[in-house]
Amino acid sequence: MRPESFEFLQKYLNNPSPTGFEKEGQKLWLDYIKPYIDEYFVDTYGTVVGVINPEAKYKVVIEAHADEISYFVNYITKEGYLYLRRNGGSDPLVAPSKRVNIHTSKGIVKAVFGWPAIHVRKVEQDKAPTIETVFLDCGASSADEVAEMGIHVGSVVTFEDEFTVLNERFYVGRALDNRVGGFMIAEVARMLKENGKTLPFGLYVVNAVQEEIGLRGAEMIAHRINPDVAIITDVTHDSQSPMYDKKTAGDISCGKGPVITYGPAVQNNLRDLIIKTAEDTEIPFQRAAATRATGTDTDAFAYSGSGVASALISLPLKYMHTTVETVHKDDVENVTKLIYESLLRIEDGHDFRYFS
């Protein structure tokens, strides 16, 4: 990875962008992608779209989502402790002893997830932490002191963990789901520009908001763009680490390449074009099967309007929705390359219908 790209990746991942409050991360992303696009627009809720060839009638989307899971302050005790609600699929099981940032109009307030010491618990009766039992300690001794800090019900809370590299092969941090996707589609736009590639269609590079609470940003922007084709990238579960059941999770591994999904929302001809692209360019890939839905923004695009030929290229990831989400750097490179090469094989007016 070139140094400038790696610097952006770190900066972008370290910046908090909780669901519904993605603005600052979106600004970073837009600043990075601006040299590689012709124009851009931002919708009402913060989805950012960079456009190449905006006058073209045929429209192709490449998309990732920008938001990360987080918490809202929900209740403040008279002693100054904070209880929370989840914003997206936050996992209270990983919360105890973690450090967090509380976002206020006065700036960041530091806090920790407290937990009773092992000495005073009846360990044999321990139960897993839940959203009802985890709490934050911001160093205050009263509700009034909490208020003076600028904290109130509705204040957003994110983990403060930042990007690291593990054994020179893995990128680790919070919110790789799915800002690493935003990084990859931005790199595709850069590669098209720097390699002098002219596409025969309009390309819409979409960094969507609010995926973590139901694909909402993608729903909105799909109706606005009304594309003909959409290639979505998100993360999927590496199933090699302990406690995964391959019979249900599939056999997916970090380091073995992009994951191409089969499922009702995935348009077969577009998927096959992507597979053929991978085979022709010798990009390693894996396969996965979805059930009724992929659970990603693919579903929102596929079923928008009169139907959009959509496909999903996933990045294998360990430890999803924790603060140590982990991906292999080779997979990041190969997902980026596969999206790039697939775009070069889509024609103007490409008809993906199964028959006519």
Side-chain angles (χ1 to χ4, degrees), residues 14-234:
N14 286 340
N15 179 83
S17 290
T19 301
F21 302 84
E22 301 94 343
K23 180 177 71 173
E24 296 306 319
Q26 293 292 68
K27 288 180 178 178
L28 286 174
W29 186 83
L30 179 57
D31 286 345
Y32 182 76
I33 201 174
K34 272 182 180 178
Y36 315 124
I37 57 177
D38 296 323
E39 61 181 49
Y40 71 90
F41 61 89
V42 182
D43 80 358
T44 304
Y45 278 84
T47 291
V48 181
V49 181
V51 188
I52 299 170
N53 301 336
E55 302 304 319
K57 182 179 178 181
Y58 195 78
K59 301 174 182 179
V60 177
V61 161
I62 57 174
E63 191 260 13
H65 73 83
D67 56 317
E68 66 176 289
I69 57 174
S70 58
Y71 293 94
F72 287 117
V73 174
N74 187 50
Y75 171 62
I76 303 168
T77 72
K78 66 179 187 298
E79 296 84 6
Y81 294 103
L82 314 177
Y83 285 85
L84 309 171
R85 302 190 86 167
R86 297 189 298 173
N87 185 17
S90 301
D91 185 358
L93 192 64
V94 304
S97 82
K98 298 299 295 183
R99 295 174 171 87
V100 301
N101 293 321
I102 304 175
H103 301 265
T104 80
S105 60
K106 296 182 177 181
I108 297 294
V109 175
K110 299 292 184 180
V112 298
F113 275 104
W115 197 248
I118 191 170
H119 312 71
V120 300
R121 302 197 318 267
K122 294 180 179 179
V123 178
E124 67 277 6
Q125 297 178 15
D126 273 354
K127 295 181 179 180
T130 68
I131 195 63
E132 291 81 15
T133 59
V134 295
F135 61 91
L136 288 182
D137 184 341
C138 62
S141 58
S142 68
D144 288 341
E145 189 176 355
V146 171
E148 289 170 4
M149 292 176 166
I151 301 168
H152 53 75
V153 170
S155 292
V156 182
V157 179
T158 57
F159 291 110
E160 72 169 20
D161 298 67
E162 294 193 338
F163 176 88
T164 59
V165 179
L166 185 66
N167 195 25
E168 300 182 352
R169 291 199 296 270
F170 291 93
Y171 300 141
V172 179
R174 41 158 265 286
L176 273 75
D177 175 12
N178 181 34
R179 284 207 291 285
V180 70
F183 167 78
M184 292 187 295
I185 60 174
E187 286 294 278
V188 171
R190 178 186 65 80
M191 291 164 63
L192 290 168
K193 181 75 170 184
E194 293 184 350
N195 293 336
K197 299 296 184 180
T198 300
L199 298 174
F201 48 77
L203 180 65
Y204 292 71
V205 188
V206 178
N207 207 16
V209 299
Q210 298 195 28
E211 186 271 351
E212 296 289 357
I213 49 88
L215 323 181
R216 300 307 185 190
E219 285 182 356
M220 291 183 276
I221 206 66
H223 288 289
R224 178 165 176 175
I225 297 172
N226 192 24
D228 299 283
V229 180
I231 298 175
I232 312 304
T233 187
D234 206 328

Side-chain angles (χ1 to χ4, degrees), residues 275-293:
I275 290 173
K276 184 67 163 54
T277 299
E279 292 170 341
D280 290 347
T281 56
E282 299 183 345
I283 298 172
F285 69 94
Q286 306 172 79
R287 302 177 200 254
T291 54
R292 293 173 62 89

Side-chain angles (χ1 to χ4, degrees), residues 58-65 178 181-182 184-186 188 192 199 201-208 218 221-222 225 227-234 258-261 265-267 269-275 277 294 296-302 308-315 334-347 350 352:
Y58 195 78
K59 301 174 182 179
V60 177
V61 161
I62 57 174
E63 191 260 13
H65 73 83
N178 181 34
M184 292 187 295
I185 60 174
V188 171
L192 290 168
L199 298 174
F201 48 77
L203 180 65
Y204 292 71
V205 188
V206 178
N207 207 16
I221 206 66
I225 297 172
D228 299 283
V229 180
I231 298 175
I232 312 304
T233 187
D234 206 328
V259 179
I260 299 173
T261 296
V266 175
Q267 212 280 341
N269 290 334
L270 176 59
R271 182 205 59 227
D272 290 346
L273 179 148
I274 293 168
I275 290 173
T277 299
T294 69
T296 72
D297 284 341
T298 310
D299 305 322
F301 276 93
V308 176
S310 300
L312 174 61
I313 303 175
S314 298
L315 177 72
N334 282 321
V335 169
T336 305
K337 184 179 178 184
L338 183 54
I339 297 172
Y340 171 84
E341 293 288 349
S342 296
L343 289 176
L344 299 181
R345 286 160 173 76
I346 296 175
E347 301 171 353
H350 203 126
F352 284 101

